[in-house]
Amino acid sequence: MKKRLLFFIASVLFSTQLFSGIINVPAFRQDGASWGANTLGTCTGCSLTTDGCAITCVAMLLKANGVNVDPGLLNTYLKNNSGYAYNPSGCTGNCIIYWAVPTAYTGSSMTYPNLSTTFNLATVKSEIDNGNPVILQTKSGSITHYVVIKGYNNSGTSTSDFVVVDPLKTGDQVLTNYSTDEVRIYHNVSVTNPPTLSNPTDNFQITKSNNSISFSWSSVTNAVYYEIWIDNNIGFGSPEIGFNNGASSTWLTDGIVSTNGFALTSAWQNQLPQNVYYWKVRALNASKVAITDWSTPTRNFSLLDPIPPTLSSPADNSQFTKSNNNSIPFSWSSVTNAVYYEIWIDNNIGFGSPEIGFKNGASSTWLTDGIVSTNVFALTSAWQNQLPQNVYYWKVRALNASKVAITDWSSPTIKFSLLNDISGVSRILGESNFLNIYPTSSYDKIIIETDELIKEATVVIYNTKGQEIVRQTITNSKTQIDISKLPSSTYLVKLINYNKAEVKTFIKI
């Protein structure tokens, strides 16, 4: 290995310029002021300036590996640790480098798996994509020289794309200007700490509504992209349910973003069931090849189903009359990011079929789609008069700007009674072709009337706890029952006539 000085500048240059797909390799000069004049190994007449290109290139890789080293220190280390072989030509003594020895330098995590091979552009690109700059053996006439290929621009398919650090030149060079004989390949060269997760903190909680979870992490030198995985298992095993998981990872393109912050918006939140999730991130280079390991530790956050509105008015068992100057005020708690509220009213607490409230096909014409833009709503007489006298239940849920539900229905539902009259003591709820119940003018009795003459039937009155209050046998189509001593409440009246039974409701005020 014999070279002569092409030109001499006593300096050490550290290159900090970053390129797309290029590794940050410190650019040592073999003719540096602190070591250029030192004897290379034990070879008489050979110095680092004249013949130290190989160890200068290795020193660049060690420095990129995070090792506190320079060509002068590495030269001393190799002399003291059998790192040089005898030079059979040129300089006399030991100054032919054993390529594997520098990997044992203090602080090094590099390995040299005997990768000395003929030049292949695809191999060089693959190594660089994995964070390993490559040492190239080249020739200028009969003189052997070593340089470092630290990365590439563009697609990396032409020698003109590749960037070279030459220990005898200042500034980046282009591979096209060098012969390509052999390469020396080290592994684990680039050591970059993984991104540090900073937000959200552990045990962060968020509801699945129209808001977002802001994820952020530290930037990584030379990182162009970040890959994000979200999973409900801290082991991130199979199956993944987060980003970059085959057919199910359609929330972002390959789960990769080009910034060091990311918001998990509702479009993705709504694809996740309510659960505790873990997330992690790693940095990628311009070719979307990982240049760091996954962030450690991972962070966990709880994704909760949207909290439904809390009903506050009217209270259970509130009573209202159907008049033209009276309204029923409905109100509920506001929901974050809610723009609309959808209201249903029904005479069945199960809200099954058929609905008689809002948003129920042909019968739901009281409000446009039963949707309002405030968290207070009055069921005014215009709508009350469309409802028969009865006991009703109501519920509400919150919608986003697109009128898509972002909460479940409110629970529990609220019950209220809608009465026909504005005066009187007792109100009869419900209609029937067989049985009618109405109060006397003094409102201290109710009249049980059937549409046919019956020979014998039994009338039973129950309170709201299901307890029997009155039992009476009737034999006519019209019978009075005294209710003057009953407390104010809602009651059920059951009439049984052979195999026919009818149930009605009335309210004692």
Side-chain angles (χ1 to χ4, degrees):
M1 180 185 70
K2 183 71 175 176
K3 296 196 318 315
R4 289 302 169 200
L5 178 63
L6 302 179
F7 59 89
F8 188 100
I9 300 178
S11 65
V12 179
L13 177 65
F14 291 90
S15 174
T16 57
Q17 186 178 9
L18 303 181
F19 294 82
S20 173
I22 294 179
I23 302 166
N24 189 21
V25 177
F28 286 126
R29 292 278 306 230
Q30 68 187 77
D31 54 8
S34 298
W35 54 77
N38 294 351
T39 299
L40 181 66
T42 60
C43 283
T44 303
C46 290
S47 67
L48 269 66
T49 292
T50 59
D51 296 275
C53 56
I55 72 159
T56 302
C57 289
V58 175
M60 293 185 201
L61 269 57
L62 284 170
K63 190 71 174 182
N65 188 243
V67 178
N68 185 19
V69 71
D70 59 39
L73 293 173
L74 180 59
N75 182 44
T76 300
Y77 176 84
L78 294 175
K79 286 193 290 184
N80 295 334
N81 291 275
S82 302
Y84 286 119
Y86 181 74
N87 188 357
S89 61
C91 300
T92 302
N94 295 326
C95 55
I96 299 293
I97 186 174
Y98 285 121
W99 295 96
V101 175
T103 61
Y105 197 99
T106 303
S108 168
S109 60
M110 291 194 330
T111 60
Y112 183 72
N114 297 316
L115 291 182
S116 174
T117 181
T118 55
F119 178 87
N120 179 281
L121 194 62
T123 299
V124 172
K125 181 178 183 296
S126 176
E127 289 297 328
I128 290 171
D129 285 342
N130 285 295
N132 298 316
V134 173
I135 296 176
L136 170 69
Q137 177 182 303
T138 183
K139 285 187 178 181
S140 177
S142 61
I143 299 175
T144 299
H145 185 47
Y146 290 94
V147 297
V148 174
I149 306 174
K150 71 173 185 178
Y152 59 89
N153 294 300
N154 304 316
S155 61
T157 56
S158 167
T159 55
S160 62
D161 293 338
F162 285 79
V163 180
V164 170
V165 181
D166 189 329
L168 277 175
K169 295 182 179 180
T170 301
D172 293 326
Q173 309 298 313
V174 181
L175 181 58
T176 307
N177 298 330
Y178 295 86
S179 68
T180 51
D181 300 336
E182 294 183 2
V183 291
R184 303 294 191 278
I185 299 173
Y186 289 87
H187 283 166
N188 305 317
V189 178
S190 293
V191 177
T192 307
N193 292 328
T196 300
L197 303 183
S198 58
N199 184 40
T201 57
D202 276 342
N203 302 312
F204 184 82
Q205 293 185 349
I206 192 166
T207 58
K208 294 170 63 178
S209 60
N210 207 31
N211 51 352
S212 62
I213 305 174
S214 295
F215 294 93
S216 61
W217 49 86
S218 62
S219 297
V220 176
T221 302
N222 292 327
V224 180
Y225 301 99
Y226 293 89
E227 182 179 11
I228 307 160
W229 284 37
I230 295 180
D231 192 16
N232 64 345
N233 185 323
I234 197 169
F236 288 83
S238 181
E240 299 293 347
I241 62 169
F243 300 108
N244 200 34
N245 182 42
S248 68
S249 60
T250 57
W251 308 332
L252 283 179
T253 305
D254 296 328
I256 294 173
V257 294
S258 57
T259 64
N260 69 333
F262 164 68
L264 180 63
T265 60
S266 58
W268 304 303
Q269 292 178 38
N270 291 334
Q271 298 191 47
L272 296 175
Q274 176 172 294
N275 210 330
V276 175
Y277 290 93
Y278 299 88
W279 73 289
K280 60 182 180 180
V281 64
R282 64 179 178 179
L284 313 178
N285 63 17
S287 299
K288 296 185 178 180
V289 175
I291 59 175
T292 73
D293 198 356
W294 291 104
S295 54
T296 301
T298 51
R299 294 288 189 185
N300 72 300
F301 66 96
S302 299
L303 186 60
L304 309 177
D305 284 333
I307 300 173
T310 300
L311 303 184
S312 58
S313 176
D316 267 344
N317 299 311
S318 292
Q319 296 177 358
F320 299 91
T321 56
K322 296 170 63 175
S323 67
N324 287 330
N325 58 5
N326 188 28
S327 65
I328 305 174
F330 296 94
S331 62
W332 50 87
S333 62
S334 297
V335 175
T336 303
N337 294 317
V339 179
Y340 301 100
Y341 293 88
E342 182 178 10
I343 307 162
W344 284 36
I345 296 179
D346 192 15
N347 64 345
N348 185 323
I349 197 169
F351 288 83
S353 182
E355 300 291 347
I356 64 167
F358 299 108
K359 197 167 176 59
N360 182 42
S363 67
S364 59
T365 56
W366 306 332
L367 283 180
T368 305
D369 296 327
I371 293 174
V372 294
S373 57
T374 65
N375 68 330
V376 176
F377 164 67
L379 181 63
T380 61
S381 57
W383 300 305
Q384 293 177 38
N385 290 335
Q386 298 190 48
L387 293 175
Q389 177 173 284
N390 210 330
V391 175
Y392 291 93
Y393 301 88
W394 75 290
K395 62 182 179 180
V396 65
R397 65 180 177 179
L399 313 178
N400 63 17
S402 301
K403 296 187 178 180
V404 175
I406 59 175
T407 74
D408 199 356
W409 290 104
S410 54
S411 181
T413 51
I414 298 294
K415 177 177 68 175
F416 68 97
S417 301
L418 187 60
L419 313 177
N420 280 328
D421 302 325
I422 62 171
S423 63
V425 178
S426 299
R427 307 296 179 218
I428 311 304
L429 308 181
E431 298 177 355
S432 171
N433 293 327
F434 171 66
L435 174 66
N436 289 311
I437 302 175
Y438 52 89
T440 62
S441 58
S442 61
Y443 294 101
D444 59 352
K445 297 180 179 66
I446 58 172
I447 297 175
I448 309 294
E449 183 179 40
T450 64
D451 62 351
E452 60 185 51
L453 181 63
I454 59 176
K455 293 182 179 180
E456 183 176 332
T458 301
V459 172
V460 183
I461 299 178
Y462 300 92
N463 63 16
T464 56
K465 296 181 179 180
Q467 298 169 329
E468 183 178 311
I469 304 300
V470 176
R471 177 180 287 267
Q472 183 173 324
T473 300
I474 63 174
T475 57
N476 298 308
S477 60
K478 185 182 293 187
T479 302
Q480 289 189 10
I481 297 178
D482 187 356
I483 62 169
S484 60
K485 296 182 180 181
L486 295 181
S488 297
S489 185
T490 301
Y491 296 92
L492 294 177
V493 178
K494 185 176 183 180
L495 185 143
I496 305 171
N497 181 29
Y498 297 105
N499 63 346
K500 177 181 286 188
E502 188 82 17
V503 178
K504 300 296 291 183
T505 303
F506 77 89
I507 297 173
K508 171 70 181 298
I509 299 176

